[in-house]
Amino acid sequence: MSRNIPISFEFFPPKTDEGAQKILQVHQQLCTLNPSYFSVTYGAGGSTRERTLSTVDNIQQASTIAVAPHLSCIGDNKAEVSALLHRYKNQGIKHLVALRGDLPSGQVGLGEIPYARDLVEFVRHETGDHFHIEVAAYPEMHPQSADYQADLTNFINKAKAGANSAITQFFFNPDAYFYFVEQVRKTGVNIPIVPGIMPITNASNLIRFADGCGADVPRWIRKQLAAYGDDSASIKAFGEEVIAKLCETLIQGGAPSLHFYTMNMAQPTTRLCKMLGLG
Ligand code: FAD
């Protein structure tokens, strides 16, 4: 079975030369699934600036599949962000993921572009319609939002500022996604909202990421993961079953595309895509 749902894959910039080599192999393997694009994260405050740039350059040179650098704004000044935008534009990049980011601990000051909405406005001001801009969406609410309505309003404002589409934080409850999309549509905003999919491969990492970004790991998943202890084969098998079912529900419910947080690994995402007939 093969079906025509677009997919995209996210990498983070590796810290070592060995990691940089490995990511090229992972990239090559994932290219066989024919994704629409690969995105590369960016550490807020410029903390991964050079590594993000070299990862973007390396994977851009390795294939014809598009690359979408993430760009955060918190703590940065306009001149730095502008320089990056023009660098990307000049090297033929046409797709960006625009984020506020989270300041590294100890760093203070929001900088000249404090929120993602301001970044979207700045990108449009600097480069017009050159870039297709993705923004972040939070079906379970961003942890710093005052309430659900404030979070929704912030999302709508990012769309109205010029975002073309959105990628969600990962989640395990499809109803949260469908409800969020419904609330957005009621406001007349129609940009695609693409579910961000996190494969389950390691219980403690998953729970740490989820707690850090405010994603709810349902009790039945936590309990099952805890019961498997160090049995990584059972965790992976359980994780594949849970995430494949989630993806299937999202596709059946009309998700326009799926964006996979690959964690720089080829196998978990490849296995899920094969199970789902994607790619
Ligand atoms: P915003 O949309 O600006 O919102 C942040 C918070 O501020 C929200 O609670 C919002 O309600 C509130 N807010 C907005 N405007 C105002 C205002 N005017 N006054 C007061 N409050 C306001 N992080 C990285 O550092 N690098 C990455 O590469 C990266 N990639 C990501 C990719 C995806 C798909 C997702 C979902 C997240 C990613 N993140 C990344 C994490 C993201 O940066 C954090 O979740 C961050 O805390 C919020 O970013 P945002 O773009 O959603 O911010």
Side-chain angles (χ1 to χ4, degrees):
M1 179 184 59
S2 170
R3 43 188 182 188
N4 212 7
I5 312 270
I7 47 178
S8 53
F9 300 137
E10 182 168 314
F11 290 143
F12 59 84
K15 286 193 172 133
T16 60
D17 290 346
E18 197 187 348
Q21 284 308 315
K22 187 188 149 212
I23 205 162
L24 284 174
Q25 289 162 16
V26 172
H27 172 258
Q28 198 178 15
Q29 284 170 269
L30 291 176
C31 279
T32 61
L33 294 166
N34 201 20
S36 309
Y37 67 91
F38 288 91
S39 80
V40 182
T41 65
Y42 182 84
S47 55
T48 68
R49 189 187 156 94
E50 294 314 317
R51 288 189 281 123
T52 296
L53 285 172
S54 63
T55 307
V56 166
D57 292 351
N58 290 343
I59 64 174
Q60 192 189 18
Q61 282 156 23
S63 89
T64 54
I65 296 174
V67 185
H70 294 212
L71 183 57
S72 70
C73 55
I74 197 167
D76 279 344
N77 64 48
K78 288 184 174 174
E80 284 163 343
V81 177
S82 175
L84 261 183
L85 288 174
H86 289 287
R87 181 195 198 272
Y88 286 141
K89 186 178 172 188
N90 291 338
Q91 73 187 78
I93 284 177
K94 293 187 175 151
H95 199 153
L96 286 178
V97 186
L99 305 140
R100 183 196 71 172
D102 294 307
L103 277 181
S105 59
Q107 195 171 326
V108 288
L110 296 178
E112 293 177 355
I113 314 175
Y115 295 103
R117 172 201 185 170
D118 307 314
L119 179 59
V120 174
E121 280 172 0
F122 186 70
V123 176
R124 291 289 175 235
H125 176 263
E126 288 288 298
T127 53
D129 286 339
H130 176 79
F131 290 107
H132 177 105
I133 305 177
E134 307 276 351
V135 287
Y138 301 88
E140 295 176 326
M141 217 180 98
H142 185 266
Q144 290 161 6
S145 286
D147 54 39
Y148 194 91
Q149 188 55 44
D151 199 49
L152 188 64
T153 303
N154 180 49
F155 180 77
I156 302 302
N157 287 339
K158 292 193 282 192
K160 290 188 173 163
N164 301 96
S165 53
I167 305 168
T168 76
Q169 187 55 273
F170 70 87
F171 58 88
F172 299 105
N173 180 355
D175 287 340
Y177 168 79
F178 292 127
Y179 182 77
F180 181 78
V181 174
E182 203 179 297
Q183 300 315 301
V184 172
R185 299 298 177 239
K186 279 185 191 163
T187 70
V189 166
N190 283 315
I191 63 171
I193 301 173
V194 175
I197 305 296
M198 179 68 88
I200 299 177
T201 55
N202 176 302
S204 53
N205 282 351
L206 179 79
I207 287 169
R208 186 163 50 82
F209 294 146
D211 290 347
C213 69
D216 185 39
V217 182
R219 181 180 153 83
W220 65 275
I221 295 183
R222 283 186 189 254
K223 289 285 178 194
Q224 192 76 316
L225 291 174
Y228 288 129
D230 293 334
D231 179 357
S232 63
S234 295
I235 290 173
K236 282 179 190 158
F238 170 70
E240 272 174 12
E241 189 189 344
V242 168
I243 300 301
K245 274 189 186 149
L246 171 66
C247 293
E248 191 59 55
T249 306
L250 293 167
I251 293 168
Q252 296 295 336
S257 171
L258 297 176
H259 180 79
F260 289 86
Y261 296 108
T262 69
M263 305 309 291
N264 291 4
M265 292 184 282
Q267 209 203 21
T269 296
T270 304
R271 283 182 59 89
L272 281 169
C273 289
K274 297 276 181 218
M275 285 168 83
L276 291 158
L278 301 172

